[in-house]
Amino acid sequence: MSVIDLRSDTVTQPTAGMLDAMAKAATGDDVYGEDPTVNRLEAELAKRLGFASALFVPTGTMSNLLGLMAHCERGEEYIVGQQAHTYKYEGGGAAVLGSIQPQPIELQADGSLDLAQVAAAIKPDDFHFARTRLVALENTMQGKVLPLEYLARARTFTREHGLALHLDGARLYNAAVKLGVDAREITQHFDSVSVCLSKGLGAPVGSVLCGPVEFIAKARRLRKMVGGGMRQSGLLAAAGLYALDNNVKRLADDHANAQFLAEGLSKAGYEVEPVQTNMVYVQMGDKAEAIKAFAGERGIKLSAAGRLRMVTHMDVSRAQIEQVIATFVEFSRN
Ligand SMILES: *Cc1c(COP(=O)(O)O)cnc(C)c1O
């Protein structure tokens, strides 16, 4: 029985083509700046996203942490969504390791931060307060794509207030593919962007932080400090380059599968939130543990949550999505 894992798009296995690219990668010691494949990945992604420089790191958590620490000094502050990864799901790293104070505010239904609320949260220049330095957005946010028009407004707004603007673009390419635009249409509005290669793009490991030259130089120093300086990491960078060349357009298949899954579950009477990219949210209420166990016995891995998130990715086919729908139908009859 082949397992269908819908817990996250991080579970993908490297394909034969990707493994081949990794095996053939030229490598060197990246701490000395001598890994040609890492250098190529950093230059390539910086160019594709319109930045002067980039830094390859092991995880998205580290990429965001270095971004926050490169923007903010101790006692400074970033404004961020209450449910944002950089606030809620990174172990409080910015506060613990950077002495950076988060100022979370509620997200809007579309995944954006209301700019009037952000304005109200900016601290006046007064020694009682932390210095507000940065606004951090996330795109996609729980599968939702921030509108380009909103990003343009956020850019103007942060400029007017002398703040930097960081994007947690773990799923930047899902957003770009959904909008049918070049990723630059999104990234042009930001001072820095973090992109995950190990989510829907299918690489086993790695994220890239993009930004201006001095910002990335600072992040490079911080990366060594937190233990993220890797050596022959060209093996991993090769997987990232392969992913960027081969696995971006196909994200549309994941989006179509998510849509198909949502429609199937909705027809079966489940309460499903509207789908934009590769995430399907279903209200399971107090049935969360029961559906997890029921599906698990049938080879389908789910998280246990009242608001259940299912994520489509390259290792889940349309036929398997049909199997998932059939399983939910069977469950609802029990
Ligand atoms: C996965 C993810 C990250 C970083 O994740 P790592 O597991 O540390 O690579 C950051 N932001 C968002 C929105 C994510 O989904």
Side-chain angles (χ1 to χ4, degrees), residues 10 58-62 64 85-86 90 138 140 168 170-171 194 196 198-199 206-207 279 309:
T10 55
T59 65
T61 298
M62 187 182 289
N64 282 322
H85 205 281
T86 51
E90 297 184 1
E138 187 172 317
T140 60
D168 177 356
R171 297 184 179 85
S194 166
C196 283
S198 60
K199 299 273 167 83
S207 284
M279 292 188 189
R309 182 188 81 163

mmCIF file of all heavy atoms in Angstrom, residues 10 58-62 64 85-86 90 138 140 168 170-171 194 196 198-199 206-207 279 309, ligand 1:
data_model
loop_
_atom_site.group_PDB
_atom_site.id
_atom_site.type_symbol
_atom_site.label_atom_id
_atom_site.label_comp_id
_atom_site.label_asym_id
_atom_site.label_seq_id
_atom_site.Cartn_x
_atom_site.Cartn_y
_atom_site.Cartn_z
ATOM 1 N N THR A 10 6.281 19.363 2.708
ATOM 2 C CA THR A 10 7.699 19.132 3.050
ATOM 3 C C THR A 10 8.093 17.663 2.938
ATOM 4 O O THR A 10 9.257 17.334 3.084
ATOM 5 C CB THR A 10 7.985 19.567 4.498
ATOM 6 O OG1 THR A 10 7.064 18.880 5.360
ATOM 7 C CG2 THR A 10 7.819 21.058 4.680
ATOM 8 N N PRO A 58 20.160 26.232 5.693
ATOM 9 C CA PRO A 58 19.533 24.910 5.820
ATOM 10 C C PRO A 58 18.007 24.932 5.864
ATOM 11 O O PRO A 58 17.367 24.020 5.361
ATOM 12 C CB PRO A 58 20.080 24.364 7.142
ATOM 13 C CG PRO A 58 21.240 25.222 7.503
ATOM 14 C CD PRO A 58 21.074 26.524 6.814
ATOM 15 N N THR A 59 17.420 25.931 6.513
ATOM 16 C CA THR A 59 15.963 25.909 6.716
ATOM 17 C C THR A 59 15.343 27.295 6.515
ATOM 18 O O THR A 59 16.029 28.322 6.608
ATOM 19 C CB THR A 59 15.607 25.492 8.165
ATOM 20 O OG1 THR A 59 16.097 26.500 9.064
ATOM 21 C CG2 THR A 59 16.184 24.141 8.529
ATOM 22 N N GLY A 60 14.031 27.286 6.330
ATOM 23 C CA GLY A 60 13.290 28.539 6.246
ATOM 24 C C GLY A 60 13.281 29.271 7.575
ATOM 25 O O GLY A 60 13.268 30.500 7.622
ATOM 26 N N THR A 61 13.288 28.521 8.645
ATOM 27 C CA THR A 61 13.331 29.148 9.970
ATOM 28 C C THR A 61 14.623 29.956 10.133
ATOM 29 O O THR A 61 14.601 31.091 10.603
ATOM 30 C CB THR A 61 13.230 28.067 11.064
ATOM 31 O OG1 THR A 61 11.971 27.400 10.918
ATOM 32 C CG2 THR A 61 13.317 28.666 12.455
ATOM 33 N N MET A 62 15.730 29.364 9.698
ATOM 34 C CA MET A 62 16.998 30.108 9.799
ATOM 35 C C MET A 62 17.005 31.301 8.845
ATOM 36 O O MET A 62 17.483 32.380 9.192
ATOM 37 C CB MET A 62 18.196 29.197 9.520
ATOM 38 C CG MET A 62 19.511 29.929 9.806
ATOM 39 S SD MET A 62 21.000 28.971 9.452
ATOM 40 C CE MET A 62 20.959 27.763 10.757
ATOM 41 N N ASN A 64 14.473 33.136 7.806
ATOM 42 C CA ASN A 64 13.696 34.226 8.403
ATOM 43 C C ASN A 64 14.421 34.834 9.596
ATOM 44 O O ASN A 64 14.454 36.057 9.755
ATOM 45 C CB ASN A 64 12.315 33.712 8.851
ATOM 46 C CG ASN A 64 11.350 33.574 7.685
ATOM 47 O OD1 ASN A 64 11.346 34.397 6.766
ATOM 48 N ND2 ASN A 64 10.522 32.540 7.717
ATOM 49 N N HIS A 85 4.252 32.543 10.407
ATOM 50 C CA HIS A 85 5.303 31.580 10.734
ATOM 51 C C HIS A 85 6.434 32.257 11.499
ATOM 52 O O HIS A 85 6.929 31.741 12.503
ATOM 53 C CB HIS A 85 5.823 30.943 9.443
ATOM 54 C CG HIS A 85 6.434 29.602 9.644
ATOM 55 N ND1 HIS A 85 7.706 29.429 10.134
ATOM 56 C CD2 HIS A 85 5.941 28.353 9.422
ATOM 57 C CE1 HIS A 85 7.970 28.124 10.195
ATOM 58 N NE2 HIS A 85 6.924 27.459 9.781
ATOM 59 N N THR A 86 6.837 33.459 11.054
ATOM 60 C CA THR A 86 7.978 34.147 11.675
ATOM 61 C C THR A 86 7.682 34.568 13.114
ATOM 62 O O THR A 86 8.594 34.886 13.865
ATOM 63 C CB THR A 86 8.369 35.416 10.895
ATOM 64 O OG1 THR A 86 7.195 36.201 10.685
ATOM 65 C CG2 THR A 86 8.985 35.068 9.567
ATOM 66 N N GLU A 90 8.380 29.654 14.916
ATOM 67 C CA GLU A 90 9.837 29.591 14.810
ATOM 68 C C GLU A 90 10.505 29.638 16.186
ATOM 69 O O GLU A 90 11.602 30.174 16.356
ATOM 70 C CB GLU A 90 10.334 30.667 13.827
ATOM 71 C CG GLU A 90 9.755 30.373 12.435
ATOM 72 C CD GLU A 90 10.195 31.269 11.290
ATOM 73 O OE1 GLU A 90 11.011 32.186 11.503
ATOM 74 O OE2 GLU A 90 9.711 31.031 10.176
ATOM 75 N N GLU A 138 3.747 37.356 4.910
ATOM 76 C CA GLU A 138 3.902 35.953 4.512
ATOM 77 C C GLU A 138 3.022 35.707 3.285
ATOM 78 O O GLU A 138 1.862 36.103 3.255
ATOM 79 C CB GLU A 138 3.464 35.065 5.682
ATOM 80 C CG GLU A 138 3.714 33.591 5.487
ATOM 81 C CD GLU A 138 3.431 32.814 6.786
ATOM 82 O OE1 GLU A 138 3.832 33.267 7.878
ATOM 83 O OE2 GLU A 138 2.790 31.757 6.696
ATOM 84 N N THR A 140 2.605 32.493 0.219
ATOM 85 C CA THR A 140 1.221 32.434 0.608
ATOM 86 C C THR A 140 1.089 32.329 2.140
ATOM 87 O O THR A 140 1.991 31.845 2.811
ATOM 88 C CB THR A 140 0.526 31.184 -0.003
ATOM 89 O OG1 THR A 140 1.201 29.990 0.464
ATOM 90 C CG2 THR A 140 0.607 31.204 -1.514
ATOM 91 N N ASP A 168 8.252 36.490 4.162
ATOM 92 C CA ASP A 168 8.426 35.063 4.341
ATOM 93 C C ASP A 168 7.734 34.417 3.143
ATOM 94 O O ASP A 168 6.529 34.203 3.143
ATOM 95 C CB ASP A 168 7.796 34.611 5.665
ATOM 96 C CG ASP A 168 7.878 33.093 5.862
ATOM 97 O OD1 ASP A 168 8.348 32.394 4.937
ATOM 98 O OD2 ASP A 168 7.468 32.630 6.935
ATOM 99 N N ALA A 170 8.090 31.402 1.909
ATOM 100 C CA ALA A 170 8.308 29.949 1.909
ATOM 101 C C ALA A 170 7.642 29.344 0.675
ATOM 102 O O ALA A 170 8.209 28.497 -0.003
ATOM 103 C CB ALA A 170 7.746 29.332 3.181
ATOM 104 N N ARG A 171 6.425 29.826 0.367
ATOM 105 C CA ARG A 171 5.692 29.344 -0.800
ATOM 106 C C ARG A 171 5.472 30.464 -1.815
ATOM 107 O O ARG A 171 4.419 30.580 -2.434
ATOM 108 C CB ARG A 171 4.366 28.698 -0.364
ATOM 109 C CG ARG A 171 4.598 27.472 0.510
ATOM 110 C CD ARG A 171 3.321 26.752 0.883
ATOM 111 N NE ARG A 171 3.615 25.586 1.701
ATOM 112 C CZ ARG A 171 3.784 25.613 3.030
ATOM 113 N NH1 ARG A 171 3.675 26.761 3.682
ATOM 114 N NH2 ARG A 171 4.061 24.518 3.694
ATOM 115 N N SER A 194 12.564 35.491 1.880
ATOM 116 C CA SER A 194 13.021 34.142 2.173
ATOM 117 C C SER A 194 12.184 33.157 1.357
ATOM 118 O O SER A 194 10.957 33.243 1.362
ATOM 119 C CB SER A 194 12.852 33.859 3.671
ATOM 120 O OG SER A 194 12.990 32.474 3.923
ATOM 121 N N CYS A 196 11.605 28.949 0.434
ATOM 122 C CA CYS A 196 11.907 27.550 0.754
ATOM 123 C C CYS A 196 12.021 26.724 -0.518
ATOM 124 O O CYS A 196 11.126 26.766 -1.366
ATOM 125 C CB CYS A 196 10.801 26.939 1.622
ATOM 126 S SG CYS A 196 10.862 27.435 3.340
ATOM 127 N N SER A 198 12.407 23.432 -0.088
ATOM 128 C CA SER A 198 12.042 22.100 0.403
ATOM 129 C C SER A 198 10.544 21.954 0.676
ATOM 130 O O SER A 198 10.127 20.991 1.309
ATOM 131 C CB SER A 198 12.823 21.799 1.680
ATOM 132 O OG SER A 198 12.510 22.757 2.668
ATOM 133 N N LYS A 199 9.741 22.912 0.200
ATOM 134 C CA LYS A 199 8.282 22.750 0.299
ATOM 135 C C LYS A 199 7.802 22.211 -1.049
ATOM 136 O O LYS A 199 8.282 21.179 -1.484
ATOM 137 C CB LYS A 199 7.638 24.088 0.666
ATOM 138 C CG LYS A 199 8.116 24.645 2.017
ATOM 139 C CD LYS A 199 7.298 24.107 3.175
ATOM 140 C CE LYS A 199 7.923 24.373 4.526
ATOM 141 N NZ LYS A 199 7.656 25.699 5.067
ATOM 142 N N GLY A 206 16.739 23.064 2.345
ATOM 143 C CA GLY A 206 17.289 24.349 1.936
ATOM 144 C C GLY A 206 16.301 25.472 1.717
ATOM 145 O O GLY A 206 15.174 25.267 1.275
ATOM 146 N N SER A 207 16.767 26.660 2.086
ATOM 147 C CA SER A 207 16.046 27.903 1.821
ATOM 148 C C SER A 207 17.061 28.941 1.378
ATOM 149 O O SER A 207 18.264 28.762 1.594
ATOM 150 C CB SER A 207 15.335 28.397 3.082
ATOM 151 O OG SER A 207 14.168 27.633 3.327
ATOM 152 N N MET A 279 -3.365 24.220 -0.383
ATOM 153 C CA MET A 279 -3.848 23.858 0.955
ATOM 154 C C MET A 279 -5.362 23.809 1.020
ATOM 155 O O MET A 279 -6.035 24.713 0.537
ATOM 156 C CB MET A 279 -3.347 24.871 1.985
ATOM 157 C CG MET A 279 -1.857 24.773 2.159
ATOM 158 S SD MET A 279 -1.309 25.796 3.507
ATOM 159 C CE MET A 279 0.455 25.648 3.236
ATOM 160 N N ARG A 309 -5.803 20.733 8.076
ATOM 161 C CA ARG A 309 -5.107 21.208 6.880
ATOM 162 C C ARG A 309 -4.591 20.022 6.083
ATOM 163 O O ARG A 309 -3.914 19.153 6.624
ATOM 164 C CB ARG A 309 -3.917 22.088 7.279
ATOM 165 C CG ARG A 309 -3.179 22.663 6.088
ATOM 166 C CD ARG A 309 -1.894 23.377 6.504
ATOM 167 N NE ARG A 309 -0.803 22.427 6.711
ATOM 168 C CZ ARG A 309 0.492 22.763 6.762
ATOM 169 N NH1 ARG A 309 0.851 24.023 6.650
ATOM 170 N NH2 ARG A 309 1.422 21.842 6.952
HETATM 171 C C1 LIG B 1 7.902 25.876 6.335
HETATM 172 C C2 LIG B 1 7.825 27.338 6.521
HETATM 173 C C3 LIG B 1 8.918 28.097 6.973
HETATM 174 C C4 LIG B 1 10.263 27.526 7.330
HETATM 175 O O1 LIG B 1 10.306 26.228 7.561
HETATM 176 P P1 LIG B 1 11.520 25.244 7.844
HETATM 177 O O2 LIG B 1 10.796 24.026 8.211
HETATM 178 O O3 LIG B 1 12.329 25.842 8.924
HETATM 179 O O4 LIG B 1 12.311 25.112 6.583
HETATM 180 C C5 LIG B 1 8.747 29.446 7.093
HETATM 181 N N1 LIG B 1 7.582 30.033 6.786
HETATM 182 C C6 LIG B 1 6.526 29.350 6.334
HETATM 183 C C7 LIG B 1 5.279 30.065 5.978
HETATM 184 C C8 LIG B 1 6.611 27.971 6.203
HETATM 185 O O5 LIG B 1 5.550 27.295 5.764
#
